[in-house]
Amino acid sequence: MVPLHKDSQEDICPICLDPLKEAVSTDCRHLFCRMCLTQHMDKASVSGVLSCPVCRKPYSEGVLGDGYICYSHQKRVCSFCETSRHLLCVECLRSPEHQSHTELSIENAISHYKERLIRRSRKLRKDLGDLQRLKAQEEEMPYALQVDWESHRLRAELQNQDQTKEHQQEDLPAEVAKMFNFSEAVTQLNILASGLERMARELDASTLKDASDLLDRSAPQKLEGLLSHLPPASPNLN
């Protein structure tokens, strides 16, 4: 990709007339929003000639960046396959392999997955808040239980027990073991929610597969263990 050299007059995309978003440069060094130039390519592909919208000099599809070019056919990707989770060019779409698959245009796929990421992150934030409230309630344990836990910990250290975390937890008082479960669930949910939020902010064509994988990892059925302390939830959000 041609290096970007921006000045105050080049902060605006010549196509949409808005501030540049994911700026890319043509071979003649004019800057455009990546999506705007992609849409321009779609229209120009009918004639088979790609020319800069500003100066009409020719340029190659490679200006969009490696993540936007099909490695198999060296053509610009135009669709995202939800089945294989691959970016596809027009040649890929003609392949028998993808005839029965579900494909979305790049623009629609980004919009679709961004909406799903936001919905899922909001659901996890709600679950996280509920879990933190339950954890706070459990932390109000009687003083005697705290003393019991401290005695248990000291005995384990003195005996130099070489046990895994899981085996140690089996010997803990039931309420203390439950606190470990709460803390682990809160940590894991917070990591997942933060990842979903970051992915929604930064989503583009090159990260659609990562977004799909992250939605799978954060699906409600994959989190049953972490959310087992919560009361039954409302219908699942995709």
Side-chain angles (χ1 to χ4, degrees):
M1 184 187 300
V2 178
L4 305 184
H5 301 289
K6 296 171 61 177
D7 56 38
S8 59
Q9 293 182 338
E10 291 180 316
D11 289 337
I12 302 298
C13 171
I15 296 178
C16 67
L17 303 180
D18 288 330
L20 287 166
K21 188 175 181 180
E22 290 187 69
V24 293
S25 171
T26 54
D27 299 330
C28 50
R29 306 224 175 167
H30 287 115
L31 297 177
F32 304 90
C33 300
R34 192 190 301 273
M35 188 57 67
C36 290
L37 192 59
T38 300
Q39 292 171 346
H40 173 77
M41 286 181 175
D42 287 337
K43 297 175 182 177
S45 62
V46 177
S47 64
V49 178
L50 296 178
S51 58
C52 172
V54 174
C55 67
R56 301 304 176 189
K57 290 183 179 179
Y59 65 89
S60 66
E61 293 181 334
V63 300
L64 292 176
D66 292 339
Y68 287 76
I69 299 299
C70 170
Y71 292 110
S72 299
H73 305 103
Q74 293 302 302
K75 291 181 178 293
R76 178 178 54 84
V77 295
C78 58
S79 299
F80 177 71
C81 175
E82 292 198 285
T83 306
S84 67
R85 300 182 184 181
H86 290 159
L87 293 170
L88 308 178
C89 70
V90 291
E91 295 294 330
C92 295
L93 290 173
R94 298 191 185 108
S95 168
E97 175 188 356
H98 295 286
Q99 293 302 308
S100 61
H101 292 176
T102 301
E103 289 96 15
L104 299 172
S105 70
I106 296 294
E107 186 175 7
N108 287 342
I110 291 174
S111 175
H112 171 71
Y113 279 93
K114 182 172 290 189
E115 182 180 344
R116 289 185 62 190
L117 288 164
I118 291 172
R119 288 206 315 266
R120 182 68 55 77
S121 66
R122 287 175 178 169
K123 174 65 167 58
L124 287 190
R125 286 297 180 193
K126 179 182 180 301
D127 290 339
L128 185 58
D130 293 341
L131 200 57
Q132 286 172 324
R133 282 189 289 274
L134 288 175
K135 180 174 178 287
Q137 293 172 9
E138 293 293 329
E139 285 174 341
E140 297 173 358
M141 64 180 70
Y143 175 73
L145 182 56
Q146 296 181 32
V147 173
D148 185 33
W149 157 237
E150 183 64 19
S151 299
H152 176 89
R153 185 183 65 80
L154 290 174
R155 285 197 306 271
E157 290 179 357
L158 290 173
Q159 294 172 4
N160 292 320
Q161 294 177 345
D162 184 19
Q163 299 174 325
T164 63
K165 180 181 176 183
E166 289 76 15
H167 289 159
Q168 290 173 346
Q169 187 169 324
E170 288 175 1
D171 295 332
L172 294 178
E175 290 301 319
V176 177
K178 190 174 182 180
M179 286 303 302
F180 274 113
N181 292 334
F182 271 125
S183 297
E184 179 70 15
V186 166
T187 299
Q188 293 301 319
L189 284 182
N190 191 51
I191 291 173
L192 276 174
S194 297
L196 289 161
E197 291 161 351
R198 181 170 59 254
M199 182 68 72
R201 289 194 302 269
E202 301 173 358
L203 187 63
D204 61 18
S206 63
T207 55
L208 282 170
K209 181 183 184 303
D210 295 334
S212 183
D213 292 343
L214 183 55
L215 285 166
D216 270 1
R217 293 200 305 274
S218 61
Q221 59 268 30
K222 298 287 183 67
L223 304 180
E224 288 179 354
L226 294 178
L227 301 177
S228 60
H229 300 294
L230 295 177
S234 54
N236 293 342
L237 294 176
N238 291 325

